[in-house]
């Protein structure tokens, strides 16, 4: 794909030609260290406003200032640079987030405290979220089902959008870059006495890109998407307020499977969120919340003669009312309690039925400071689901301040991930190859039908094994950490973690077909764990310079595989023709698509007299395996690996006349690509950006 060189050049020339005369104007700035310390509050971890520095849970904040300075355009861009996080592409080109070595299906993604939906294959594509109206991003690591229920098994990422602060305020952003990528956003906000309203519009278009010139298909086909969101706040009086928001997202993309099969993919998503809050006294407050969202996807493929080859639909609806009360018996303690109900439906091609889930839930949390040095949080949630076993999810967290410079913290929590619609109700037969995939609940009715049609040669797993419920995946997450601030300009954080997942849902062959293919279904089988440590550091020697670094050490393994290696049951060959040999316990590498080491380094500098800021960021990922290449079904040290790599990014921004900012940057400066294994790293991206405030 070609680079839009003319547009980039215009941005580049304007940017650097403005340096000479813009030095006449200097913007008075406050000490950014003080500003950041005031803004470091987090809501997601406890569902109450808490100072990040006093929290007993492992959490990170990404500020609006950082998002703007690195010129990110999509959520995947900014999350990929955080410690312990890595974006992982799925087969459709979307990107999910891996957290502490856990798959993307185990991390709950929220916008203003309510969930996004649309996990067609387990992955929620975070690249569909624009960052143009984000105030801050809150990341809570560790099992969080005690507050958020299913999908929060590994953690929660909450995207907090901005609120207007002035009578009228607006800004226009336009970014143009490689692959004819255009990102344009408009923010409008108005605030007057008890009323405020804000609107955000975003248009994102790209020609896609191709990492392999030797085939006829692009790695990512051309696409365009649009986002419209609006928030309204109204204070009836000092005690009662109303919040109302709505969001609409649509995307269209070429959908090409081969030279002979071409079509389109369309996504439409909307959500609406209402919250009515009331404060009864200094001790009592409550809110009523109603949230509804729908995600629809349609894909089709046509033959060369324009006849329809395939047609696929996905239509998911979630409706959630919730009421919550907060009670503060003293200044040092608080109770929160909530009741809610999830109603979820899905209409999808290749489903045995049109499923409907209903799950009422209740949660309770107690947050207390028994002493000046200690903070303890107890929490629990109960989910009563219509299609799987009820879940009780407790959690406890503690932070103890050993001195003014050093504090220890720890948390233990239970998390669960409910079986999704696909794992329960899938009824899919590949028209070309002939294999069949059945959801767990579809097996007892579909297998007899296939037998009656003469398609089943042999049943491997008795139907009686599908008479009970498919259990939710569940985990125990343990985090133990240290916060150390030797001097005011240095912050150090160490967190040791372990997530043990039981009843992992996997696929297996349950029957052989007469055409030589198999019937697959889902079952609870494996126990896996991820464990390691994370280290974060921040050094801010003055108001102009900030250096941050992070590192994650990760071990992610299957317990059954460990046992097989330990018992000498696993063999390998160095080449297909060489003799096999027995593998040792240390030869087992672990789960697929996990790197042992990941690191990041960021340097931010503000040239105050020039009204200019610049930054350099680097991320590193060590080797990892995607497939078993020597035929023993495990990932061992004799398999082929994706080699480790680093990505370097650069950005520079220049403010002109207070209200104008020009940006220029290069993502992936050294143009790293892996055409065979990594589809979401496209090569070097050069861009220019213009921001106008009014």
């Amino acid at each position: 794909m070609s680079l839009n060189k003319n547009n980039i050049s215009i941005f580049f020339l304007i940017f650097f030609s403005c340096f000479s005369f813009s030095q006449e104007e200097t913007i008075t700035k406050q000490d950014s260290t003080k500003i950041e310390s005031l803004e470091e509050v987090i809501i997601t971890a406890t569902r109450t406003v808490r100072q990040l520095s006093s929290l007993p849970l492992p959490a990170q904040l990404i500020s609006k200032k950082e998002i703007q300075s690195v010129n990110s355009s999509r959520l995947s861009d900014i999350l990929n640079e955080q410690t312990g996080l890595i974006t992982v592409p799925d087969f459709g080109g979307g990107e999910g987030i891996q957290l502490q070595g856990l798959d993307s299906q185990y991390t709950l993604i929220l916008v203003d405290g309510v969930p996004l939906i649309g996990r067609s294959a387990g992955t929620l594509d975070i690249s569909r979220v624009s960052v143009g109206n984000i105030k801050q991003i809150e990341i809570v690591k560790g099992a969080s089902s005690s507050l958020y229920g299913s999908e929060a098994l590994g953690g929660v990422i909450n995207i907090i959008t901005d609120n207007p602060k002035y009578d009228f305020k607006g800004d226009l952003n336009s970014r143009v870059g490689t692959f004819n990528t255009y990102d344009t956003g408009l923010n409008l906000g108005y605030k007057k006495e008890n009323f405020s309203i804000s609107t955000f519009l975003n248009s994102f278009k790209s020609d896609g890109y191709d990492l392999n010139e030797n085939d006829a298909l692009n790695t990512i086909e051309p696409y365009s998407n649009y986002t419209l969101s609006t928030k309204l706040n109204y204070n009836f009086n000092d005690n009662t307020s109303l919040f109302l928001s709505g969001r609409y997202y649509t995307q269209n993309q070429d959908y090409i499977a081969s030279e002979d099969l071409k079509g389109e993919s369309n996504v439409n998503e909307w959500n609406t969120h209402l919250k009515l809050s009331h404060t009864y006294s200094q001790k009592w407050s409550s809110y009523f919340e109603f949230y509804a969202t729908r995600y629809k996807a349609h894909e089709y493929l046509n033959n060369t003669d324009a006849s329809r080859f395939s047609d696929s639909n996905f239509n998911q609806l979630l409706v959630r009312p919730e009421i919550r009360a907060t009670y503060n018996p003293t200044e040092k303690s608080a109770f929160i309690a909530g009741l809610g109900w999830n109603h979820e439906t899905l209409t999808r091609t290749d489903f045995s039925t049109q499923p409907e889930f209903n799950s009422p839930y209740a949660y309770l949390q107690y947050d207390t400071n028994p002493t000046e040095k200690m903070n303890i949080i107890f929490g629990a949630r109960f989910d009563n689901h219509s299609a799987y076993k009820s879940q009780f999810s407790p959690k406890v967290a503690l932070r103890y301040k050993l001195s003014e410079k050093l504090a220890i913290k720890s948390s233990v929590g239970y998390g669960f991930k409910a079986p999704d619609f696909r794992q329960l109700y899938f009824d899919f037969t590949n028209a070309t190859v002939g294999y069949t995939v059945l959801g767990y609940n579809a097996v007892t009715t579909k297998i007899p039908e296939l037998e009656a049609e003469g398609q089943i040669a042999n049943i491997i797993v008795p139907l009686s094994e599908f008479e009970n419920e498919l259990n939710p995946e569940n985990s125990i997450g343990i985090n133990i950490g240290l916060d150390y601030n030797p001097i005011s300009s240095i912050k150090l954080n160490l967190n040791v973690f372990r997530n043990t997942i039981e009843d992992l849902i996997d696929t297996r062959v349950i029957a052989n077909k007469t055409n030589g293919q198999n019937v697959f279904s889902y079952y609870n089988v494996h126990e896996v764990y991820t464990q390691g440590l994370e280290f974060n550091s921040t050094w801010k020697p003055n108001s102009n310079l900030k250096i941050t670094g992070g590192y994650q050490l990760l071990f992610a393994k299957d317990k059954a595989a460990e046992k097989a290696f330990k018992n000498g049951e696993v063999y390998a060959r160095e080449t297909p023709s060489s003799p096999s040999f027995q593998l040792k316990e240390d030869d087992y590498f672990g789960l697929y698509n996990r790197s042992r080491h990941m690191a990041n380094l960021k340097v931010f500098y503000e040239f105050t007299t020039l009204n200019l800021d610049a930054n350099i960021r680097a991320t590193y990922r060590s080797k990892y395996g995607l497939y078993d290449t020597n035929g023993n079904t495990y990932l061992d040290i004799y398999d082929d690996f994706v080699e480790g790599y680093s990505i370097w990014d650069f950005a520079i921004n220049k403010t002109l006349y207070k209200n104008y900012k020009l940006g220029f940057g290069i993502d992936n400066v050294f143009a790293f690509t892996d055409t065979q294994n990594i589809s979401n790293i496209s090569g070097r991206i050069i861009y220019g950006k213009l921001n106008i405030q009014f």
Side-chain angles (χ1 to χ4, degrees), residues 226-247:
Y226 303 90
T227 302
L228 169 63
S229 62
T230 298
K231 292 173 62 176
L232 181 151
N233 289 277
Y234 183 74
N235 297 325
F236 295 97
N237 50 53
D238 292 340
N239 297 322
T240 307
S241 62
L242 174 70
F243 167 86
L244 180 64
S245 71
R247 177 177 176 270

Side-chain angles (χ1 to χ4, degrees), residues 259-500:
E259 292 185 54
D260 300 325
L261 294 173
K262 300 180 180 180
E264 285 188 359
S265 170
N266 296 285
V267 172
N268 291 281
E269 174 193 7
W270 61 260
N271 59 57
T272 182
H273 183 195
L274 179 148
K275 182 187 290 186
L276 182 64
S277 304
H278 183 72
T279 300
Y280 304 94
S281 66
Q282 290 184 342
K283 294 184 176 183
W284 281 99
S285 63
S286 69
Y287 72 64
F288 170 77
E289 181 178 71
F290 180 83
Y291 176 66
T293 180
R294 184 183 291 277
Y295 178 92
K296 298 176 68 175
H298 177 221
E299 296 177 351
Y300 69 87
L301 286 171
N302 287 340
N303 297 300
T304 52
D305 62 358
S307 61
R308 188 59 54 92
F309 175 80
S310 67
D311 205 312
S312 175
N313 288 283
F314 183 99
N315 186 346
Q316 184 179 5
L317 172 70
L318 171 66
V319 177
R320 172 185 293 175
E322 179 178 299
I323 186 168
R324 194 190 83 178
T326 302
Y327 174 58
N328 300 91
T330 68
E331 293 182 356
K332 296 182 178 181
S333 60
F335 288 91
I336 64 168
L339 294 171
W341 176 60
N342 288 318
H343 172 74
E344 191 173 3
T345 63
L346 177 62
T347 302
R348 182 176 181 177
T349 306
D350 299 317
F351 263 33
S352 61
T353 186
Q354 294 186 7
E356 177 180 304
F357 285 174
N358 290 286
S359 55
Y361 61 86
Y363 59 87
L364 176 67
Q365 178 181 272
Y366 178 52
D367 187 347
T368 182
N369 294 81
T371 70
E372 293 295 328
K373 295 184 177 182
M374 182 182 294
N375 176 225
I376 305 175
I377 297 176
F378 299 97
R381 173 170 164 142
F382 180 78
D383 288 81
N384 182 23
H385 202 279
S386 60
Y388 61 82
K389 291 181 180 178
S390 300
Q391 296 293 303
F392 178 71
S393 309
K395 186 170 186 173
V396 61
L398 180 146
R399 185 179 191 273
Y400 188 79
K401 193 173 182 180
L402 296 171
S403 68
E404 291 299 319
K405 298 180 179 180
L406 180 64
I408 59 172
K409 56 186 180 182
S410 63
S411 64
V412 180
Y414 174 88
F416 75 95
K417 167 68 171 63
D420 60 34
F421 287 115
R422 172 178 50 95
Q423 293 165 336
L424 294 177
Y425 302 107
F426 213 31
D427 181 3
F428 170 76
T429 297
N430 183 279
T432 304
V433 180
Y435 65 85
T436 296
V437 182
L438 298 177
Y440 185 91
N441 289 2
V443 170
T444 54
T445 56
K446 190 63 180 180
I447 289 295
E449 290 179 11
L450 294 175
E451 276 190 300
E453 295 170 0
Q455 296 190 44
I456 299 298
N458 180 42
I459 294 179
I460 298 173
V461 180
L463 297 186
S464 59
E465 291 199 16
F466 295 89
E467 292 176 355
N468 297 319
E469 296 175 342
L470 185 65
N471 293 327
E473 299 171 282
N474 60 87
S475 77
I476 300 295
I478 302 172
N479 287 267
I480 301 173
L482 291 172
D483 293 330
Y484 182 50
N485 306 114
I487 56 177
S488 60
S489 61
I490 295 179
K491 295 181 180 180
L492 304 175
N493 171 263
L494 176 68
N495 184 57
V496 179
F497 63 89
R498 180 180 173 94
N499 300 288
T500 304

Side-chain angles (χ1 to χ4, degrees), residues 73-74 130 132 171-176 181-187 200-205 225-227 690:
S73 58
R74 316 308 287 177
S130 172
D171 67 81
L172 175 68
N173 285 284
S174 180
R175 169 175 155 157
V176 56
T181 300
Y182 296 90
D183 180 27
T184 303
L186 175 65
N187 271 301
F200 172 67
L201 299 96
N202 179 260
S203 169
F204 190 89
K205 300 180 180 180
N225 57 56
Y226 303 90
T227 302
L690 171 65

Side-chain angles (χ1 to χ4, degrees), residues 540-566:
K540 196 165 184 21
N542 54 57
S543 61
N544 295 329
L545 176 63
K546 180 180 179 180
I547 302 174
T548 68
Y551 167 74
Q552 177 183 266
L553 172 67
L554 175 68
F555 297 91
K557 297 190 175 184
D558 185 320
K559 291 184 178 180
E562 281 188 318
K563 183 178 180 181
F565 275 83
K566 184 176 181 179

Side-chain angles (χ1 to χ4, degrees), residues 82-189:
Q82 311 306 313
T83 304
L85 304 184
I86 185 75
T87 56
V88 178
D90 67 9
F91 65 89
E95 292 184 77
I97 192 73
Q98 189 186 103
L99 184 153
Q100 288 188 344
L102 296 173
D103 283 334
S104 60
Q105 61 185 317
Y106 303 124
T107 300
L108 181 64
I109 308 295
L110 308 173
V111 175
D112 289 327
V114 289
L116 292 177
I117 62 172
R119 299 175 184 262
S120 57
T123 297
L124 193 145
D125 181 16
I126 60 173
S127 64
R128 78 186 200 225
V129 180
S130 172
V131 301
N133 65 332
I134 293 179
K135 176 184 177 182
Q136 70 180 28
I137 301 171
E138 303 180 352
I139 304 166
V140 180
K141 299 178 180 179
S144 300
S145 293
S146 62
L147 281 177
Y148 294 100
S150 181
E151 296 181 9
L153 182 150
V156 179
I157 297 175
N158 192 8
I159 301 146
I160 309 295
T161 58
D162 221 340
N163 289 312
K165 301 179 180 66
Y166 309 98
D167 287 347
F168 178 77
K169 182 73 174 179
D171 67 81
L172 175 68
N173 285 284
S174 180
R175 169 175 155 157
V176 56
T178 309
F179 311 120
N180 287 327
T181 300
Y182 296 90
D183 180 27
T184 303
L186 175 65
N187 271 301
L188 298 172

